[in-house]
Amino acid sequence: MREMNSSVSLWRYVAEEGALIWQLMFTESGVVVAQKRFPEERRSLFFALEAVSGEVLFDDYRLPDGDGNAESGEEWLTGIETVAGELVFFHAYRQGGPEHLGLWAVDAGSGRVVWSRRDIVFTGVIDEGFLVYRPSSFAGFPERTYLVIDHRSGADLRFLGADHPEIVRLRRDLISEECRQGVLLPELLEGGDPRFAGMSGSDRVSPHRCEGLAAGPVAIVATHHCDTASGLWQSGLRVWRNGLLLHEDCLAESSRFPMLNSFLLRAGRLYYLKRQSELLSLEL
């Protein structure tokens, strides 16, 4: 890692050996919540950091079983669903299938469970609260009964049923999580792009794959080179501001896969993954 400006604000979170940082979400209260998965051990834990300073708010967090809350089941089969206000919402999975099931509303600053429900599946955030459904079956066919709940308490606000005409409109108008959270993601660069001219490194072999993200005076480029002899990849990141190189880092060396989709921009800060187990953030 090389910083071209010593005054740049940079923090780093390092997960345990064997962990893969899997998800990142950002609350309105200024917290980044992430998942770390341990494939060999089939474990899934969560952590929360103050987005600007990197201060750890909670770590090695797992969804609670019992204690008056809905039981999450096997901790490997859990994930982050969404965020709203100061809350982060976790989910489990239906047994034997890929469908999510249940919601756990957790205070992102403390890890305290505010409410939990095992009977619903999250669909999206709407003006009133959350659009969810209860999964069921009739004569062997799956059914979904939709309702609107209060995201702050988990209480039912409105019953829509299975075929209310408003369901189609509400689903159609849902806003993506990236837009809701103000996240900018990179795009795969095909051929020449004038926004990133000369930023992939003229002193290096042309990358096999290249990603870019531009926002105002900032341009971020990730290059991915594959060694033809070994078939292994090396991924690097470069950050430019007003045409000057601000920061560069190696994301991975001798990797079986290119480290694609490993960085994002939010609220003037770059967040990126290194070796899949380190999360770094740089103020831009």
Side-chain angles (χ1 to χ4, degrees):
M1 179 173 62
R2 187 158 60 114
E3 297 172 40
M4 308 307 163
N5 186 339
S6 59
S7 65
V8 166
S9 170
L10 174 73
W11 58 253
R12 177 200 310 260
Y13 170 90
V14 181
E16 300 91 318
E17 185 177 354
L20 304 177
I21 297 177
W22 197 255
Q23 286 182 298
L24 296 179
M25 289 206 182
F26 300 85
T27 71
E28 297 170 32
S29 55
V31 177
V32 52
V33 184
Q35 180 184 30
K36 51 185 178 181
R37 294 169 68 84
F38 299 81
E40 295 296 324
E41 305 168 28
R42 292 185 62 81
R43 289 193 302 133
S44 178
L45 302 173
F46 303 93
F47 62 93
L49 312 172
E50 204 285 325
V52 174
S53 68
E55 176 188 357
V56 177
L57 302 176
F58 63 75
D59 202 355
D60 293 334
Y61 183 86
R62 55 172 293 179
L63 297 190
D65 291 325
D67 298 328
N69 299 303
E71 293 189 1
S72 62
E74 186 181 357
E75 68 177 30
W76 172 252
L77 300 175
T78 55
I80 308 173
E81 194 72 83
T82 188
V83 292
E86 74 285 359
L87 300 178
V88 56
F89 297 84
F90 299 103
H91 69 84
Y93 287 88
R94 294 190 70 178
Q95 188 172 8
E99 188 178 26
H100 294 182
L101 181 64
L103 277 180
W104 285 256
V106 173
D107 183 283
S110 67
R112 177 179 63 89
V113 177
V114 177
W115 61 264
S116 61
R117 290 181 60 168
R118 181 68 170 175
D119 64 317
I120 56 176
V121 179
F122 174 81
T123 299
V125 179
I126 60 176
D127 291 340
E128 297 170 72
F130 286 173
L131 178 66
V132 301
Y133 67 85
R134 290 194 188 101
S136 60
S137 62
F138 178 75
F141 295 96
E143 286 193 340
R144 295 180 176 185
T145 302
Y146 284 88
L147 58 152
V148 178
I149 67 169
D150 184 341
H151 77 271
R152 292 160 296 190
S153 67
D156 294 355
L157 294 178
R158 201 152 57 94
F159 179 81
L160 296 173
D163 54 5
H164 195 289
E166 191 178 3
I167 297 171
V168 175
R169 180 186 64 80
L170 290 173
R171 287 174 58 90
R172 182 193 64 216
D173 295 342
L174 291 176
I175 301 173
S176 70
E177 288 296 330
E178 303 95 79
C179 292
R180 285 190 59 248
Q181 297 176 41
V183 168
L184 298 177
L185 298 174
E187 57 186 291
L188 196 61
L189 302 181
E190 302 287 351
D193 189 316
R195 296 174 299 169
F196 305 99
M199 294 183 182
S200 61
S202 58
D203 56 327
R204 304 180 182 184
V205 177
S206 178
H208 293 89
R209 294 187 185 180
C210 188
E211 300 169 284
L213 194 165
V218 173
I220 307 164
V221 174
T223 55
H224 310 280
H225 302 263
C226 182
D227 181 79
T228 54
S230 65
L232 299 177
W233 291 81
Q234 176 172 319
S235 298
L237 183 79
R238 284 184 165 190
V239 183
W240 304 75
R241 186 169 60 198
N242 293 319
L244 299 176
L245 184 61
L246 177 69
H247 177 82
E248 67 175 342
D249 203 351
C250 177
L251 302 181
E253 291 183 290
S254 301
S255 173
R256 291 184 298 165
F257 308 100
M259 284 280 289
L260 296 169
N261 301 313
S262 293
F263 67 97
L264 59 85
L265 192 61
R266 182 185 183 272
R269 294 194 70 92
L270 167 68
Y271 297 84
Y272 68 94
L273 297 179
K274 183 172 181 176
R275 292 189 286 270
Q276 296 185 296
S277 61
E278 298 179 31
L279 173 63
L280 296 92
S281 180
L282 175 72
E283 182 184 15
L284 300 178

